[in-house]
Amino acid sequence: MTAATDPVKLMKQQVGKAAADLVKSGSIVGLGTGSTTAYAIQYIGERLKSGELKDIVGVPTSFQAEVLAKEYGIPLTTLDAINHIDIAIDGADEVDPQKNLIKGGGAAHTREKVVDYLADQFIVVVDAGKLVDRLGSVFAVPVEVIPMAVTPVMRAVTQLGGKPELRMGVKKAGPVITDQGNMVIDVKFDSIDDPVNLEKTLNNIPGVLENGIFVNCADLVLIGEVKDGQPVVREM
């Protein structure tokens, strides 16, 4: 099967395009991280190049987003230089029926949270496999931790009923290091009954920078699925 006819890839492209189509000229756009969001960045770049979009500036949430934005000709700015973000587009690892999210599979959740919460409109792009009845069903909660605090934080999350694991690098010896120079602990909970409070509790542990539970911030969830071999995009 070639990449061009791979239904999953086509579906991710369609979801990314659907999100990119919602960006209006003159907007400041939060550019998220991950495979589906990468297509959104590509399509925003294509709309700019064709002249369909004008006066766009992007705020990247990760090194990956920054590299892609440059590749597709999207001018970038920083949070110091702007006073608002019109629209942010980002992926998620889990989405529950209340539009609460777990993010951080790419270890970029700290910068993503800053940008996504600032946005007037936050659009989440996912495939149907990311939908869960309850947060934490499949995915562990990523917690970004300053290196010196890894051991005490792991102890603290264990007391909260979580099973912590230091995220190790793939094709790299040793732990994953975030864009901020910190480490990530993935914490598996049997069930997350109250995501709002768990988010606060985790962030109150000394040494924790930020965790991957996103509550009350997603405005629109675009879901891609493959039906009868065809990519379909629907809104939650």
Side-chain angles (χ1 to χ4, degrees):
M1 185 179 282
T2 63
T5 55
D6 175 5
V8 174
K9 187 178 174 183
L10 279 172
M11 176 262 292
K12 286 187 171 193
Q13 287 173 331
Q14 294 292 341
V15 182
K17 189 174 187 309
D21 285 343
L22 297 169
V23 175
K24 297 182 178 75
S25 289
S27 301
I28 300 170
V29 188
L31 302 171
T33 307
S35 57
T36 308
T37 316
Y39 289 119
I41 294 173
Q42 179 186 339
Y43 285 116
I44 292 167
E46 285 176 9
R47 288 184 67 201
L48 265 175
K49 197 175 172 188
S50 72
E52 186 192 331
L53 267 185
K54 290 181 171 64
D55 304 324
I56 294 293
V57 283
V59 180
T61 57
S62 63
F63 184 66
Q64 183 215 21
E66 198 175 313
V67 169
L68 284 170
K70 285 174 182 166
E71 186 182 330
Y72 293 114
I74 302 170
L76 295 176
T77 187
T78 63
L79 294 176
D80 298 329
I82 56 172
N83 61 3
H84 73 287
I85 294 173
D86 296 294
I87 185 171
I89 299 169
D90 211 344
D93 299 301
E94 278 191 358
V95 183
D96 78 2
Q98 287 73 47
K99 296 184 188 159
N100 296 318
L101 319 171
I102 289 182
K103 290 171 55 47
H109 54 282
T110 299
R111 282 170 68 176
E112 288 170 345
K113 200 176 265 193
V114 173
V115 169
D116 297 346
Y117 273 82
L118 278 174
D120 296 338
Q121 188 187 23
F122 173 32
I123 297 170
V124 180
V125 289
V126 289
D127 57 81
K130 305 289 170 65
L131 303 180
V132 293
D133 292 332
R134 289 174 76 151
L135 228 50
S137 308
V138 185
F139 217 80
V141 178
V143 180
E144 181 164 348
V145 181
I146 63 171
M148 68 166 281
V150 166
T151 303
V153 168
M154 286 176 93
R155 209 173 291 134
V157 295
T158 304
Q159 284 167 348
L160 291 173
K163 298 180 188 70
E165 204 170 283
L166 184 62
R167 190 181 299 182
M168 301 309 277
V170 178
K171 297 185 180 174
K172 168 199 178 289
V176 166
I177 303 298
T178 68
D179 287 352
Q180 288 74 244
N182 297 311
M183 296 180 187
V184 176
I185 295 170
D186 290 307
V187 187
K188 190 78 183 90
F189 291 93
D190 287 337
S191 72
I192 297 174
D193 303 322
D194 186 351
V196 175
N197 273 322
L198 184 60
E199 186 208 13
K200 290 191 186 113
T201 304
L202 289 170
N203 278 357
N204 276 335
I205 300 170
V208 170
L209 185 60
E210 190 53 85
N211 72 82
I213 298 174
F214 285 51
V215 289
N216 305 325
C217 74
D219 297 300
L220 174 64
V221 180
L222 295 176
I223 302 154
E225 42 200 349
V226 178
K227 283 194 169 161
D228 306 320
Q230 293 301 312
V232 191
V233 179
R234 63 181 170 91
E235 286 183 20
M236 185 180 223

